[in-house]
Amino acid sequence: MEPRFFKIPVCVGDVTLRVAQGHFATRHSHINYFIDVTRQQSCLQEAEAVAQQLAQRLPYAVVDTILCMDGTRVIGTCLARRLTQEGYGSVNQGKEIYLLRENVSSGGQLIFRDNARFMLEDKNVLVLLASITTGSTVEKAMRCVCYYGGSVAGVASIYSHLEEIGGVKVVSLFNTGDLPGYASHSPEECPLCKQGLEVDAVVDKFGYSAL
């Protein structure tokens, strides 16, 4: 069944959130909301609006590299520009910030080629995602940053179900308080499955495929 989308009645600056309620399966869990961030990932104007709000909320910290997960390269570009401008954390003013896109092996592990290691080694890395549900993707990214010799400077996303991951505070524009009744369960414990309700769509960082 095709999901029926609506905008939640909460705005953060010029950023709005488009969601659908139903029964959705991700790689790690079953959820009852699908959050559509396609426009924020793809539209320069909307990506800039997200970057503006995130820049205002990020802690005062040095950022050398932004690891762009979930197709957030456009948002990451806008955010890097914001963080290096005067008035958005002078500690980064005039600095060069690298943008690094995730690279996933055939086994599902994050890897980076030798020519990209300099963007992680001895660098302060901000992990940027579109949305966070279980936190498993963030944990994988944080382990990868540390493996390549970097330090996690922070975690940021448009939406997050979690306030903290691995001792690092998550900076997000929207959270579960904005989505009444939001729930995430393992496939084995999913109450919708136990009620015999079919999955409406399979979702991942690229979007959804209705069933």
Side-chain angles (χ1 to χ4, degrees), residues 53-68:
Q53 296 301 321
L54 286 177
Q56 293 173 352
R57 289 165 172 75
L58 285 169
Y60 185 80
V62 173
V63 175
D64 300 306
T65 299
I66 300 177
L67 176 54
C68 303

Side-chain angles (χ1 to χ4, degrees), residues 4-8 17-21 33-36 179:
R4 301 180 65 177
F5 289 93
F6 61 94
K7 288 184 179 180
I8 67 172
L17 199 61
R18 185 170 176 262
V19 304
Q21 286 185 280
Y33 275 93
F34 170 58
I35 301 166
D36 184 13
L179 298 180

Side-chain angles (χ1 to χ4, degrees), residues 18-202:
R18 185 170 176 262
V19 304
Q21 286 185 280
H23 185 189
F24 306 104
T26 75
R27 182 175 181 179
H28 303 290
S29 65
H30 283 199
I31 52 179
N32 60 349
Y33 275 93
F34 170 58
I35 301 166
D36 184 13
V37 292
T38 306
R39 293 187 62 85
Q40 288 93 339
Q41 291 171 317
S42 309
C43 173
L44 183 59
Q45 184 176 1
E46 297 209 19
E48 177 61 35
V50 171
Q52 179 182 6
Q53 296 301 321
L54 286 177
Q56 293 173 352
R57 289 165 172 75
L58 285 169
Y60 185 80
V62 173
V63 175
D64 300 306
T65 299
I66 300 177
L67 176 54
C68 303
M69 309 283 290
D70 296 348
T72 56
R73 191 80 179 269
V74 179
I75 298 172
T77 301
C78 296
L79 182 56
R81 185 170 55 197
R82 287 277 178 179
L83 292 177
T84 54
Q85 288 177 347
E86 183 179 0
Y88 284 91
S90 58
V91 69
N92 293 299
Q93 184 177 341
K95 278 176 49 44
E96 184 173 55
I97 294 181
Y98 298 108
L99 296 170
L100 188 58
R101 184 169 51 191
E102 64 184 303
N103 187 12
V104 182
S105 71
S106 57
Q109 298 298 314
L110 275 180
I111 60 170
F112 294 98
R113 305 302 180 190
D114 290 347
N115 56 293
R117 292 177 71 107
F118 76 95
M119 289 185 271
L120 293 171
E121 291 177 344
D122 301 318
K123 297 296 191 294
N124 298 296
V125 182
L126 173 67
V127 181
L128 177 65
L129 302 96
S131 63
I132 299 171
T133 302
T134 65
S136 59
T137 299
V138 179
E139 291 173 344
K140 183 188 299 184
M142 294 170 73
R143 288 194 299 269
C144 187
V145 168
C146 293
Y147 174 81
Y148 285 96
S151 300
V152 177
V155 176
S157 66
I158 300 173
Y159 170 84
S160 180
H161 185 54
L162 305 174
E163 296 182 355
E164 176 269 335
I165 301 172
V168 179
K169 176 179 171 56
V170 176
V171 175
S172 66
L173 304 187
F174 301 93
N175 55 44
T176 50
D178 302 311
L179 298 180
Y182 181 97
S184 171
H185 301 276
S186 67
E188 297 78 17
E189 298 298 325
C190 176
L192 298 177
C193 287
K194 292 180 178 180
Q195 294 173 30
L197 298 178
E198 295 184 353
V199 171
D200 296 312
V202 175

